[in-house]
């Protein structure tokens, strides 16, 4: 149980620490504060995992789910940071928005399962793809170094470290099996950090200065603040997160031979949303199920939810040990960039896998995908596109994930639901097979 639980942590560890590293760097936190934020995310991920696996009352799917910080919220949170009155207000505004979004999501959980038909694979696949695409520029920035204004930003040594880390991860994924293959990203981070020591870019001060035992002080960065635009933005993220979690529950239910019915989905979403609402109390972010751990369950055939709960225990212990969290803070940015290319690219690839099963032989689905992707990529390809809009509106518009999700849902309603009594031959692209069965597969097929 211990080794299997640790394997689950290793498989998702990089995904948990990446969002606080991204947001913390954008806010301008010191190494010590970044260590604190990372530890808080590990701690709250463990609590959310307990809630999901063990369950309380009608809260928790009681499936082998690992919960952690969702990638979907990173881009909107960065937009909030950019538009906050000051950097000191950014995290309190983010935490306030997450609390409200989590509570609203908790209330909506029983009804969300009934709305799943409005989130077919073409919508979920588009959103997941946009998440990966939106985060890849972050990995590219990391690969160049920590400070864009520095003279050595984007230097050959920085890019070489990123490339070496990427190469190590790829070699491990290609030529190893079992546990070592699953922890390839973690091994790549360690090896890349060791390789960076001769370059003088590894600072061990955060580790030596960190306490062995600590606790994520509630509201460490200030009392939560409630800004309407930020709340709306995080509510959109909550919808995206609930959609992903629903698809993951359907997939995992099939793998463990306990199909997730409407009641299970509602209970699982309650755990996600309540965990998200409580997370900011301990300086954590929005929580969601981690899809990569579903693959681990399928591969190992270890289906016990108590094994995953044991992994949640490891996460809590790591969150209570600032020195362990500080080890993540010493990893050089170029090394994180090399691993981030695999990590964020895998998210985009997961979305593409979903789209493959989304019935793209239908012209309507092609249009939904095409326009939604275009809308979602605007903030990446043309960052100043919305420069004439009010600052409050830009919090939502500057998040390609939020705008892409809204566009995908609305376009899917227009083309596949409103005024439609059923499919027709006109739905298919000329010259393509008219089979539409894959378009109606459950979201679980994508995972």
């Amino acid at each position: 149980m211990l080794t299997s639980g640790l394997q689950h942590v290793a498989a998702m560890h990089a995904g948990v620490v990446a969002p606080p590293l991204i947001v913390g760097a954008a806010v301008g936190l010191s190494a010590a504060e970044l260590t604190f934020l990372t530890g808080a995310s590990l701690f709250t991920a463990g609590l959310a995992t307990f809630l999901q696996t063990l369950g309380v009352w009608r809260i928790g799917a009681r499936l082998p789910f690992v919960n952690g910080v969702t990638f979907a919220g990173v881009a909107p949170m960065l937009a909030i940071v950019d538009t906050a009155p000051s950097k000191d207000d950014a995290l309190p505004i983010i935490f306030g928005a997450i609390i409200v979004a989590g509570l609203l999501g908790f209330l909506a959980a029983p009804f969300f399962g009934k709305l799943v038909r409005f989130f077919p694979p073409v919508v979920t696949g588009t959103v997941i793809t946009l998440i990966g695409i939106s985060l890849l520029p972050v990995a590219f920035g990391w690969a160049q170094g920590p400070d864009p204004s520095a003279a050595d930003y984007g230097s050959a040594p920085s890019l070489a470290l990123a490339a070496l880390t990427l190469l190590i991860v790829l070699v491990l994924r290609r030529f190893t099996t079992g546990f070592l293959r699953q922890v390839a990203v973690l091994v790549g981070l360690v090896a890349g950090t060791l390789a960076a020591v001769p370059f003088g870019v590894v600072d061990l001060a955060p580790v030596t200065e960190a306490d062995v035992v600590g606790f994520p002080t509630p509201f460490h960065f200030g009392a939560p603040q409630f800004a309407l635009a930020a709340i709306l933005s995080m509510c959109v993220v909550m919808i995206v997160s609930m959609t992903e979690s629903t698809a993951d529950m359907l997939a995992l239910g099939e793998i463990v031979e306990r199909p997730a019915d409407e009641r299970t989905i509602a209970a699982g979403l309650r755990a996600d949303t309540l965990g998200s609402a409580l997370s900011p109390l301990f300086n954590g972010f929005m929580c969601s199920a981690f899809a990569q751990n579903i693959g681990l369950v399928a591969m190992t055939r270890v289906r016990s939810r108590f094994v995953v709960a044991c992994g949640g225990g490891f996460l809590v212990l790591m969150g209570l040990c600032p020195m362990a969290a500080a080890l993540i803070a010493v990893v050089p940015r170029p090394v994180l960039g090399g691993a981030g290319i695999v990590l964020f690219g895998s998210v985009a690839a997961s979305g593409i896998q979903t789209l493959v099963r989304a019935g793209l032989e239908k012209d309507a689905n092609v249009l939904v995908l095409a326009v939604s992707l275009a809308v979602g990529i605007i903030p990446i390809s043309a960052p100043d596109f919305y420069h004439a809009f009010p600052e409050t509106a830009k919090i939502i518009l500057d998040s390609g994930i939020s705008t892409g999700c809204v566009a995908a849902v609305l376009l899917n309603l227009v083309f596949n639901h409103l005024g439609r009594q059923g499919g027709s031959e006109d739905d298919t692209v000329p010259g393509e097979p008219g089979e539409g069965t894959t378009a109606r597969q459950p979201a679980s097929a994508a995972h």
Side-chain angles (χ1 to χ4, degrees):
M1 179 178 286
L2 291 175
T3 54
S4 297
L6 184 61
Q7 183 170 243
H8 273 283
V9 174
M12 54 85 76
H13 183 271
V16 173
V17 301
L21 287 174
I22 298 171
V23 177
V27 174
L29 297 182
S30 64
E33 295 288 1
L34 199 59
T35 297
F36 181 90
L37 192 65
T38 304
S41 293
L42 292 168
F43 178 76
T44 54
L47 295 182
T49 299
F50 283 151
L51 204 58
Q52 191 67 270
T53 54
L54 302 179
V56 178
W57 184 57
R58 296 183 180 178
I59 301 171
R62 292 172 173 82
L63 290 170
F65 258 131
V66 175
N67 272 41
V69 184
T70 175
F71 278 112
V74 174
M77 287 191 291
L78 293 179
I80 293 172
V81 172
D82 291 337
T83 56
S86 70
K87 297 294 185 182
D88 293 337
D89 292 326
L91 286 175
I93 291 174
I94 289 172
F95 291 150
I98 293 174
I99 290 173
V100 174
L103 293 176
L104 291 177
F106 184 84
L107 296 176
F111 310 101
F112 195 84
K114 304 179 187 298
L115 302 177
V116 173
R117 66 191 186 97
F118 297 114
F119 294 88
V122 68
V123 173
T124 56
T126 300
V127 174
I128 296 171
T129 302
L130 280 172
I131 292 172
I133 293 175
S134 297
L135 293 176
L136 278 172
V138 175
F140 301 149
W142 281 350
Q144 297 178 80
D147 185 5
S149 62
D152 62 346
Y153 186 72
S155 63
S158 295
L159 298 181
L161 283 174
L164 175 63
T165 304
L166 174 60
L167 180 63
I168 292 171
V169 174
L170 293 177
V171 168
L172 290 174
R173 292 291 295 180
R174 172 62 181 86
F175 295 106
T176 63
T177 58
F179 180 75
L180 187 59
R181 187 173 187 271
Q182 286 297 321
V183 298
V185 172
L186 192 60
V187 174
L189 290 173
V190 174
T193 301
L194 293 176
V197 172
F199 294 94
V201 295
V202 179
D203 181 14
L204 295 177
V207 179
T208 58
E209 296 172 1
D211 296 327
V212 177
V213 179
F215 185 79
T217 312
F219 302 129
H220 177 81
F221 297 98
Q225 301 178 26
F226 302 97
L228 180 59
I231 291 172
L232 292 175
S233 179
M234 297 313 296
C235 282
V236 172
V237 175
M238 179 58 71
I239 294 174
V240 174
S241 176
M242 293 171 74
T243 304
E244 291 183 56
S245 291
T246 299
D248 292 340
M249 277 183 272
L250 292 169
L252 190 59
E254 293 180 359
I255 292 172
V256 302
E257 298 179 356
R258 201 195 105 189
D261 55 18
E262 189 175 309
R263 182 173 180 176
T264 301
I265 291 174
L269 292 178
R270 285 193 189 98
D272 270 4
T273 53
L274 182 60
S276 296
L278 295 177
S279 185
L281 303 181
F282 300 101
N283 313 283
F285 299 117
M286 189 176 292
C287 294
S288 179
F290 268 53
Q292 55 263 48
N293 291 84
I294 296 176
L296 189 57
V297 172
M299 183 193 72
T300 62
R301 311 292 290 178
V302 178
R303 304 173 178 181
S304 171
R305 61 191 174 104
F306 299 105
V307 166
V308 176
C310 180
F314 280 117
L315 290 171
V316 170
L317 291 177
M318 293 173 68
L320 294 176
C321 179
M323 186 172 288
L327 288 173
I328 306 301
V330 304
V331 178
R333 292 292 171 80
V335 174
L336 281 174
I341 291 174
V342 177
L343 192 64
F344 304 152
S346 296
V347 176
S350 176
I352 294 172
Q353 288 176 332
T354 304
L355 290 171
V356 168
R357 299 171 172 86
L360 293 183
E361 71 275 3
K362 293 181 61 178
D363 186 53
N365 285 343
V366 172
L367 289 173
V368 171
L369 170 61
V371 177
S372 301
L373 275 180
V375 171
I377 293 174
I378 287 176
I380 303 172
S381 58
D384 297 327
F385 189 82
Y386 299 111
H387 73 277
F389 283 74
E391 291 298 318
T392 51
K394 286 167 65 176
I395 291 180
I396 299 175
L397 296 175
D398 282 342
S399 168
I401 298 170
S402 299
T403 55
C405 176
V406 172
V409 171
L410 293 179
L411 289 171
N412 179 63
L413 282 173
V414 171
F415 282 95
N416 292 325
H417 289 276
L418 298 181
R420 301 293 294 272
Q421 298 300 320
S424 68
E425 294 182 359
D426 294 335
D427 290 336
T428 56
V429 178
E432 294 291 337
E435 299 173 7
T437 54
T438 55
R440 298 304 177 193
Q441 290 180 350
S444 59
H447 295 261

